[in-house]
Amino acid sequence: GNADLGRRLIHAAYAADRRYALSGHFGCRIVGVFASGALWFTDCDTHPASSGGPLLVEQGDGFSVAAIMLGASRRHGVTIALPIARLRTSMHTMGCP
């Protein structure tokens, strides 16, 4: 939810303009939440074809996947991500083990 606002993220992807080179946007942030945290709006610079890339957070001396990039709303100037916690909940309600 709103506790996530401002959280620093790293978006990693193989974008369309560099398909064979991993790109990363370090230091982007969650700028809004929707539906009680079901979706995050971020300021990550997401190039087309970056959907499905992970959004990472630093944890201790490593990283963990916090969300999956869904796409961008050019009209609103944000990118949209699905938090991993919501993905797990959705998969269990669909009958996935």
Side-chain angles (χ1 to χ4, degrees), residues 37-62:
L39 293 174
W40 289 345
F41 299 131
T42 78
D43 64 358
C44 298
D45 183 17
T46 302
H47 188 279
S50 294
S51 299
L55 287 163
L56 308 170
V57 292
E58 286 191 63
Q59 275 194 325
D61 60 351

Side-chain angles (χ1 to χ4, degrees), residues 11-19 46-53 69 71 74:
H11 178 225
Y14 291 92
D17 63 340
R18 298 180 59 191
R19 289 220 182 268
T46 302
H47 188 279
S50 294
S51 299
M69 184 61 68
R74 299 289 177 226

Side-chain angles (χ1 to χ4, degrees), residues 4 6-14 22-30 40 42-44 46 50 52-69 79 81-84 88:
D4 294 314
R7 178 186 278 182
R8 293 174 56 95
L9 304 167
I10 301 164
H11 178 225
Y14 291 92
L22 181 62
S23 297
H25 181 181
F26 292 78
C28 55
R29 296 182 182 275
I30 299 170
W40 289 345
T42 78
D43 64 358
C44 298
T46 302
S50 294
L55 287 163
L56 308 170
V57 292
E58 286 191 63
Q59 275 194 325
D61 60 351
F63 300 93
S64 66
V65 177
I68 302 297
M69 184 61 68
T79 54
L82 176 66
I84 288 297
R88 288 184 184 132

